[in-house]
Amino acid sequence: ELNRILVVSIMGRLIKAMVPAEILNGKDISAQIRARLKNQVIQLKEQVPGFTPGLAILQSTIHGFIVQLPLDSDNSINTEGLINTIAPEKDVDGVTSISAGKLARGDLNDCFIRCMPKGCLELIKEAGVQIARRHAVVIGHSKIVRAPMHDLLLWNNATVTTCHPKTAYLDEEVNKGDILVVATGWPEMVKGEWIKPGAIVIDSRINYVPDDKKKTNGKKIVVDVSALESIKRFLEKFKPRKRMNQYNNLNFKAPVPSDIDISRSCKLKPIGKLAREIGLLSEEVELYDKTKAKVLLSALEHLKHQPDGKYWVVTGITPTLQEKGKARLQSGWCKPFVPISTRTFLCVRQPSQGPIFGIKGVAAGGGYSQIIPMQEFNLQLTGDIHAITVANNLIAAATDAQIFHELSQTDKALFNHLVPSVNGVRKFSDIHIRRLNRLGIEKTDSTTLTDEEINRFARLDIDPEIVTWQSMLDTNDRFLRKITIRQTPTKKGHTRTAQFDSSVASEIMAVLALTTSLEDMRERLGKMVVASSKNGEPVSAEDLGVGGALIVLMKAAIKPNFMQTLEGTPVFVHAGPFANIAHGNSSITADRIALKLVGPEGFAVTEAGFGADIGVENFFNIKSRYSGLRPHVVVLVATVRGGPVVTAEMPLPKAYIEENLELVEKGFSNLKKQIENGRMFVIPVVVAVNAFKMDTETELDLVSHLSREHGAFDAVKYTHWAEGAKGALALAQAIQRAAQAPSSFQLLYDLKLPVEDKNQNHSQHKAEVYTKQGFGNLPICMAKTHLSLSHNPEQKGIPTGFVLPICDINASIGAGFLYPLVGTVSTMDSPPVPVNGLF
């Protein structure tokens, strides 16, 4: 640096004097300048008592000093002595011992920080990378970058490992880092394969290496990290492709074996391998075993710049005794799109054990279109429904405990239990402060509350007759539909009528399906209304003080479950709200991750339970309203046969085994109405006709013709129960065409409408109560039978001339909807008659 200044200065003087230039020895001149500077300092010391160079700088007009390190000189220079002459307040590059000491102590606001480490930190933050609780690795051998970088990361709450270029097993240390900062000056020392997938790398040095291709100086610039090829491979690996993963080839048999035999005969792909194939990072996948895993919500962060794929929802006609095949349609999906170069991902609900052990049976599809292993899928999976059951029953227990204690204790005793004395001091917790704020009491000192404020704080004053929160069980038990509780003598005879509902009918299940993050779930769980006070005020889970416990119980359940189909299609199995009690859709979280993984040319397939009159209506007016996701296609699954009553142990009616075009045309009325239901939202509807072996081609063609005639974009039969993906190719092509068709999605009603207008219900009093409590602006979820368009399961086709009876109306405030109970619908199914000890 001194040489450059010297040359510029002397050349300027020579030009000014117009004298011939001569070659000078820069080293000699720089030595002269150093000697002159040293003499000037000595003279100042003699002239000014107490003079130090640092003091001279303070007294000058210079505001900051930068010393370029390392010092460039053939002669030995006392670097520490030089830099410590700078006053700390003018040490803008943070090189003095005082600045370094303050940084090491964490006094970040009271010192300057070296520009290179500080710049590295800003780059990490600018990239949106979380530093706290991440593992950082710093490699270097100087105080210029290594030491201050270590301190900066440490004081930003990272776990930091500092390495030297000669550290043993350096590759293993590097592989641990979520954040890697390299400043060695050794060309391409750190290899790309050492770096942990998904890590952020900051390389702060450049080097020159020989390169014959460079004609100017025969050198090229490289950095310390040899990561370029690794980065290219990484980006190529996770770039959306036409084909998403390697599919399994099935060995088809005729006749088709039983579902369980097919499931057990298929060789599963390790679920971790499938996760890597579709673009998930290893740290985003929690393996439960080789067949199932959970996917972390952090996947959305790394995929946030990926455009969404196409979005379509599968629904059906009103269920018949011959099942629709909605799960089967989804389970055999993905591979049909391979010949037309499109990626697909399935999102389905987790089934409840109640129907599985009941008459409905399993929900994993069937034949050569299944989610596997089917026993894992149908039973327990990763324990999400169990977590919901426990969380739900915690609220039920807390509600009755609150009622009991308020009946037997004074305000002061209740207050002392809620705010216990610790070392003679009663201190409010965060939960207490939040409750005080909701009550409008702006106090934080427990000793300042008045008697009236203590009463309001300690008592919820729950009306036992208006407890809306019920206990849950994931097994059908008709005898728990209505029970009497608190009959023991210790409960002082304050009995009340209660009931058990199915676990999947819990509002917590609906919250799981509609939530978007852990923070959002915490807020929704706290908002859930469990009862009303005697003054008509809503009592929430937050009022009971169990909101924090609920999120702890549910923190694993929020992560979507990851499985596969027989042919290797990726599947998210997440949430399972009943479609005839709650909104009946799989989770928003699973849909969002799937849409990112398939990319702009792919499809994310999601589920709407039961018929389009229930599942699709709730999908659009509730799920789409909250998620903001707009579907491109509605796929409506239909079967030819269904209608005549089937009696156990009796031969099937002829309508189920013989061609009957007249009956098919008559029964089409239900499918016609469901097509209308789908088209009300101005979305293309494709009818998927599930072909059974007893169906004739004439019947199948008639259903397809009538569907197109009455507004369906297209109607195509599919046969992948017996043929797998091959049997759904024509349907896949029809759906792809429909996804390109123009649409203008619209919701059916404005949330500002009164509850009565949105619902047309006759449970007037509760509608007025919910409106008064501030819940009138919520969407409506009709809880009704799935076996008819009306409230009466015996009325088939398109029933007319009936009044829809609303026997009750309940609120799922945390989930965000009101649900009227229509007719005799039950929130706890009945088990079937046992046969030989088995259901």
Side-chain angles (χ1 to χ4, degrees):
E1 188 71 19
L2 285 171
N3 289 344
R4 286 198 294 270
I5 295 171
L6 179 66
V7 169
V8 171
S9 176
I10 292 177
M11 288 302 294
R13 291 176 184 174
L14 289 172
I15 293 170
K16 186 175 181 180
M18 297 300 291
V19 297
E22 61 178 314
I23 299 174
L24 302 175
N25 187 323
K27 292 183 179 180
D28 292 341
I29 300 300
S30 60
Q32 295 172 15
I33 292 176
R34 283 195 297 273
R36 188 176 72 238
L37 288 173
K38 183 178 179 180
N39 290 332
Q40 288 177 351
V41 171
I42 293 172
Q43 290 174 10
L44 284 170
K45 280 186 175 182
E46 294 174 349
Q47 296 171 3
V48 182
F51 167 83
T52 66
L55 181 61
I57 294 170
L58 277 172
Q59 293 172 342
S60 72
T61 58
I62 298 173
H63 297 94
F65 238 85
I66 295 178
V67 178
Q68 181 66 41
L69 297 177
L71 295 176
D72 185 12
S73 173
D74 287 344
N75 300 308
S76 176
I77 296 178
N78 183 352
T79 302
E80 291 297 317
L82 175 62
I83 61 177
N84 283 317
T85 61
I86 303 173
E89 58 268 35
K90 298 196 177 186
D91 177 22
V92 294
D93 203 21
V95 295
T96 65
S97 298
I98 293 176
S99 297
K102 288 184 176 180
L103 175 59
R105 289 189 349 182
D107 298 335
L108 304 186
N109 296 323
D110 190 34
C111 69
F112 288 106
I113 300 169
R114 295 229 58 179
C115 61
M116 181 64 76
K118 189 171 184 179
C120 292
L121 186 73
E122 291 303 314
L123 279 173
I124 296 169
K125 291 180 177 179
E126 186 67 24
V129 176
Q130 178 183 316
I131 299 176
R133 299 186 299 277
R134 305 298 290 273
H135 191 158
V137 176
V138 180
I139 308 175
H141 47 63
S142 75
K143 292 182 285 186
I144 299 174
V145 176
R146 186 184 68 171
M149 195 73 243
H150 169 277
D151 294 337
L152 276 176
L153 289 166
L154 188 67
W155 294 116
N156 277 271
N157 302 311
T159 299
V160 187
T161 299
T162 305
C163 299
H164 190 276
K166 295 183 179 180
T167 296
Y169 307 109
L170 183 59
D171 57 339
E172 296 180 9
E173 297 298 332
V174 169
N175 191 250
K176 297 175 184 177
D178 303 303
I179 299 168
L180 177 62
V181 181
V182 185
T184 64
W186 293 17
E188 300 183 322
M189 185 200 73
V190 177
K191 307 304 178 186
E193 57 267 24
W194 297 0
I195 301 170
K196 180 179 180 180
I200 182 171
V201 180
I202 304 290
D203 196 321
S204 63
R205 296 292 296 269
I206 61 172
N207 311 276
Y208 288 92
V209 296
D211 187 352
D212 296 337
K213 296 179 182 179
K214 300 293 182 181
K215 296 181 179 179
T216 53
N217 60 359
K219 296 180 181 180
K220 69 175 180 179
I221 297 176
V222 297
V223 291
D224 294 352
V225 182
S226 178
L228 184 58
E229 288 303 314
S230 177
I231 292 168
K232 286 180 179 178
R233 291 195 300 271
F234 180 87
L235 293 175
E236 178 63 25
K237 181 178 179 181
F238 295 112
K239 184 176 69 177
R241 299 181 184 86
K242 298 290 185 182
R243 297 192 180 188
M244 192 168 178
N245 59 300
Q246 298 297 315
Y247 292 99
N248 301 329
N249 293 316
L250 301 181
N251 180 23
F252 296 98
K253 295 180 180 181
V256 176
S258 69
D259 294 347
I260 188 66
D261 286 341
I262 293 174
S263 175
R264 288 174 175 171
S265 68
C266 180
K267 184 177 180 181
L268 287 164
K269 180 183 296 185
I271 201 68
K273 182 174 185 289
L274 179 60
R276 291 191 297 274
E277 287 180 358
I278 64 174
L280 288 168
L281 305 179
S282 58
E283 61 266 31
E284 296 167 349
V285 180
E286 291 181 352
L287 298 177
Y288 272 62
D289 54 35
K290 292 182 179 180
T291 68
K292 58 186 181 290
K294 276 190 170 292
V295 175
L296 276 62
L297 272 60
S298 58
L300 282 170
E301 179 63 26
H302 116 251
L303 294 166
K304 65 183 178 182
H305 299 299
Q306 168 85 304
D308 285 350
K310 301 289 186 182
Y311 190 39
W312 53 275
V313 56
V314 178
T315 185
I317 58 172
T318 298
T320 65
L321 291 174
Q322 182 171 341
E323 59 173 319
K324 303 187 298 297
K326 183 159 52 65
R328 186 177 301 148
L329 168 65
Q330 291 177 285
S331 305
W333 219 251
C334 267
K335 199 172 179 183
F337 282 94
V338 173
I340 53 178
S341 303
T342 301
R343 309 191 306 162
T344 313
F345 207 118
L346 307 186
C347 299
V348 300
R349 291 176 298 162
Q350 181 181 350
S352 165
Q353 285 186 169
I356 288 169
F357 289 119
I359 196 169
K360 181 181 177 183
V362 299
Y368 289 104
S369 296
Q370 295 186 49
I371 298 169
I372 54 173
M374 64 177 296
Q375 64 272 23
E376 296 287 335
F377 175 84
N378 286 298
L379 301 174
Q380 299 289 340
L381 197 56
T382 57
D384 293 353
I385 294 180
H386 173 72
I388 289 166
T389 305
V390 172
N392 184 97
N393 293 344
L394 172 65
I395 298 175
T399 302
D400 278 300
Q402 184 75 24
I403 295 172
F404 170 73
H405 288 300
E406 288 188 18
L407 286 170
S408 58
Q409 297 186 43
T410 64
D411 292 352
K412 191 66 175 177
L414 287 171
F415 181 83
N416 290 343
H417 281 300
L418 284 170
V419 191
S421 176
V422 178
N423 297 325
V425 178
R426 299 187 186 277
K427 187 176 180 180
F428 287 133
S429 68
D430 291 341
I431 294 175
H432 296 145
I433 296 297
R434 286 197 294 271
R435 171 154 174 77
L436 289 168
N437 290 337
R438 289 195 301 276
L439 294 171
I441 302 173
E442 297 181 359
K443 294 181 179 180
T444 57
D445 186 346
S446 64
T447 63
T448 62
L449 265 62
T450 65
D451 289 344
E452 187 269 339
E453 289 171 340
I454 288 175
N455 173 273
R456 292 173 59 206
F457 171 77
R459 290 188 181 274
L460 300 180
D461 201 24
I462 295 172
D463 187 339
E465 300 301 318
I466 318 181
V467 175
T468 56
W469 196 267
Q470 310 298 344
S471 296
M472 297 287 168
L473 189 67
D474 194 30
T475 304
N476 292 346
D477 191 339
R478 69 173 75 239
F479 301 104
L480 294 178
R481 288 177 175 173
K482 193 71 69 175
I483 59 175
T484 304
I485 64 172
R486 294 194 287 174
Q487 299 188 71
T488 60
T490 56
K491 301 302 176 287
K492 300 179 173 55
H494 296 287
T495 62
R496 75 174 181 89
T497 301
Q499 68 187 60
F500 273 79
D501 291 338
S502 174
S503 294
V504 291
S506 171
E507 183 179 351
I508 299 176
M509 177 64 86
V511 166
L512 176 64
L514 293 171
T515 196
T516 55
S517 66
L518 206 60
E519 294 77 17
D520 177 64
M521 177 181 269
R522 172 64 179 84
E523 183 179 353
R524 287 175 178 269
L525 292 174
K527 284 182 178 178
M528 294 187 304
V529 173
V530 304
S532 290
S533 71
K534 293 174 183 176
N535 291 329
E537 296 297 322
V539 177
S540 68
E542 197 69 62
D543 291 324
L544 288 171
V546 297
L550 295 178
I551 198 64
V552 171
L553 290 170
M554 292 295 296
K555 64 182 176 65
I558 195 174
K559 306 166 191 173
N561 302 298
F562 182 48
M563 298 185 75
Q564 62 187 296
T565 68
L566 286 169
E567 297 184 90
T569 295
V571 183
F572 279 141
V573 184
H574 199 216
F578 259 12
N580 62 334
I581 299 170
H583 66 293
N585 302 137
S586 54
S587 77
I588 289 174
T589 300
D591 288 3
R592 283 182 168 170
I593 298 175
L595 282 165
K596 294 295 184 184
L597 287 171
V598 298
E601 297 180 2
F603 283 91
V605 186
T606 194
E607 174 191 13
F610 290 133
D613 58 314
I614 299 177
V616 158
E617 196 278 332
N618 291 333
F619 175 83
F620 287 124
N621 282 319
I622 297 176
K623 183 177 179 179
S624 292
R625 196 187 293 270
Y626 284 122
S627 71
L629 301 173
R630 300 294 184 254
H632 297 81
V633 186
V634 173
V635 178
L636 182 58
V637 181
T639 51
V640 169
R641 283 166 166 71
V645 176
V646 175
T647 305
E649 300 183 3
M650 295 295 289
L652 284 172
K654 290 184 178 180
Y656 287 96
I657 54 178
E658 296 180 358
E659 182 179 282
N660 190 327
L661 298 181
E662 181 181 351
L663 190 59
V664 170
E665 191 160 3
K666 181 179 178 181
F668 175 76
S669 60
N670 184 273
L671 176 53
K672 174 187 173 184
K673 181 60 180 176
Q674 301 291 25
I675 293 172
E676 292 175 5
N677 288 339
R679 293 189 66 208
M680 289 173 69
F681 298 92
V682 200
I683 299 291
V685 176
V686 174
V687 175
V689 187
N690 186 10
F692 283 68
K693 61 183 179 181
M694 67 283 291
D695 298 337
T696 68
E697 288 299 319
T698 307
E699 290 173 324
L700 294 167
D701 290 343
L702 178 59
V703 173
S704 298
H705 170 73
L706 292 172
S707 298
R708 287 189 289 267
E709 192 176 72
H710 288 86
F713 178 88
D714 203 350
V716 183
K717 76 169 184 179
Y718 66 100
T719 58
H720 60 310
W721 176 78
E723 299 180 291
K726 177 185 174 183
L729 178 57
L731 180 59
Q733 292 168 333
I735 293 170
Q736 189 180 47
R737 291 194 303 272
Q740 306 301 325
S743 62
S744 53
F745 172 73
Q746 65 180 26
L747 296 168
L748 295 190
Y749 56 81
D750 189 332
L751 291 180
K752 294 180 181 178
L753 288 173
V755 175
E756 298 90 332
D757 293 344
K758 287 182 284 192
N759 180 39
Q760 298 297 322
N761 75 90
H762 302 286
S763 188
Q764 187 67 33
H765 172 68
K766 289 190 77 173
E768 291 174 355
V769 168
Y770 289 137
T771 301
K772 181 181 177 182
Q773 291 177 342
F775 308 137
N777 289 342
L778 293 176
I780 296 294
C781 175
M782 302 296 283
K784 62 177 286 293
T785 178
H786 57 291
L787 298 175
S788 173
L789 290 171
S790 72
H791 62 285
N792 184 352
E794 303 299 323
Q795 293 181 320
K796 305 300 181 181
I798 308 181
T800 59
F802 63 89
V803 175
L804 198 67
I806 307 296
C807 62
D808 199 1
I809 180 170
N810 293 327
S812 290
I813 305 306
F817 56 79
L818 304 176
Y819 63 101
L821 300 176
V822 179
T824 58
V825 66
S826 173
T827 52
M828 169 68 82
D829 285 347
S830 302
V833 177
V835 179
N836 295 328
L838 299 174
F839 286 151

